[in-house]
Amino acid sequence: MSQRIAVIPGDGIGTEVTAAARTVLDTVCRRHGIELSYDEYDWSCERYLRAGSMMPADGLDVLRPYDAILLGAVGAPGVPDHVSLWGLLIPIRRAFRQYVNLRPVRVFEGVDSPVRDARAGEVDFVVVRENVEGEYSEIGGRLGRGHPEEMAVQESVFTRAGVSRIADYAFELARTRRRHVTSATKSNGIVHTMPFWDEVVTERAAAFPDVRWRSEHIDALAAKFVLQPGSFDVVVASNLFGDILSDLAAAVAGSIGIAPSGNLDPTRTYPSMFEPVHGSAPDIAGKGVANPVGAVWSAAMMLDHLGHPAAARDVLTAMEATLREESTRTRDLGGTADTREVTAALVDHVAG
């Protein structure tokens, strides 16, 4: 039975890396006898400038029947980031209960990390970010706009259900890896939400006695990402902390250009969404030099989520091989290849 994928290339290099990911997907699916069908939607900042919205009013209803969503990138000069994000990504994440943002981090052979002690084979961890509540709530507002006493209020929202389910996901994931969880907090400075986070994570940890865990304040944790990146296995964090930590981790791994992510509904009631985290990069869009690896890795995560782990492993093996060689790495990784050449090399490896 064919699995249906909604493709949203988005803006800038999103269109280029999404095309590359689909080319690799087509090859690995043929090899494994997997049938995927695609429908592409032009929901983007370009559409916003043309039609006044990032997606149509019934966009969520259009996406609901799909098995997964593959997204390129969103963002363009002239459209404020809060418009592009709250007009597309965040409504999808929240309507489809994609409460896990999963970001794997690896240092690959051939990719030099700017961090001295971040070596290939030693840095391999996952950031599990709570994705639908926390600091990125919609509660708050502005008062007295334009006046000297102008103020802004932004409320954080942490629920027992929300913290429990993200903690459970992190501990269950750790059971499939090296059985160690690090929880990000700031309970020494944030007096209500972070002690609550700590209490709930502690309660949930009791159900996983076979998993070691510790709590780390976010400032110390950020330092340890740089100083001791090989010491982490699964890191669980709130929406804001997870957002910052995962981008820092991508830099430690050598380039945000290879960083993938999955926005997951673990219940599989709704479609999950997969996207590279590098953004639309308008400065290099259309030049054919974008790094497609982040999108390809995101596509591999999608395959795994859809129940095709062997195909996903083949894509990861191809990534490892191409990143190892200068001639099949893009320039942002010290290589000499362009987007097309990297994609062709990935296809060759996947095809066997």
Side-chain angles (χ1 to χ4, degrees), residues 158-179:
F158 287 74
T159 66
R160 179 168 293 276
V163 180
S164 295
R165 66 189 180 186
I166 199 67
D168 285 350
Y169 185 92
F171 280 102
E172 288 166 1
L173 178 61
R175 277 180 166 168
T176 70
R177 294 173 52 87
R178 300 192 300 278
R179 297 178 180 267

Side-chain angles (χ1 to χ4, degrees), residues 142-165:
R142 300 273 289 273
L143 181 66
R145 290 174 185 264
H147 297 285
E149 68 276 14
E150 182 176 3
M151 63 179 290
V153 175
Q154 178 73 52
E155 300 286 354
S156 295
V157 176
F158 287 74
T159 66
R160 179 168 293 276
V163 180
S164 295
R165 66 189 180 186

Side-chain angles (χ1 to χ4, degrees), residues 104-181:
V105 179
R106 283 181 58 186
V107 174
F108 290 91
E109 185 179 345
V111 179
D112 292 330
S113 169
V115 176
R116 180 180 57 200
D117 292 329
R119 301 182 183 91
E122 296 181 8
V123 177
D124 182 354
F125 64 94
V126 181
V127 177
V128 176
R129 167 190 171 191
E130 201 290 317
N131 206 34
V132 297
E133 56 176 48
E135 302 89 347
Y136 293 177
S137 82
E138 298 175 65
I139 300 174
R142 300 273 289 273
L143 181 66
R145 290 174 185 264
H147 297 285
E149 68 276 14
E150 182 176 3
M151 63 179 290
V153 175
Q154 178 73 52
E155 300 286 354
S156 295
V157 176
F158 287 74
T159 66
R160 179 168 293 276
V163 180
S164 295
R165 66 189 180 186
I166 199 67
D168 285 350
Y169 185 92
F171 280 102
E172 288 166 1
L173 178 61
R175 277 180 166 168
T176 70
R177 294 173 52 87
R178 300 192 300 278
R179 297 178 180 267
H180 184 232
V181 171

Side-chain angles (χ1 to χ4, degrees), residues 70-86:
L70 185 62
L71 175 72
V74 174
V79 179
D81 287 343
H82 69 274
V83 170
S84 57
L85 291 176
W86 284 89

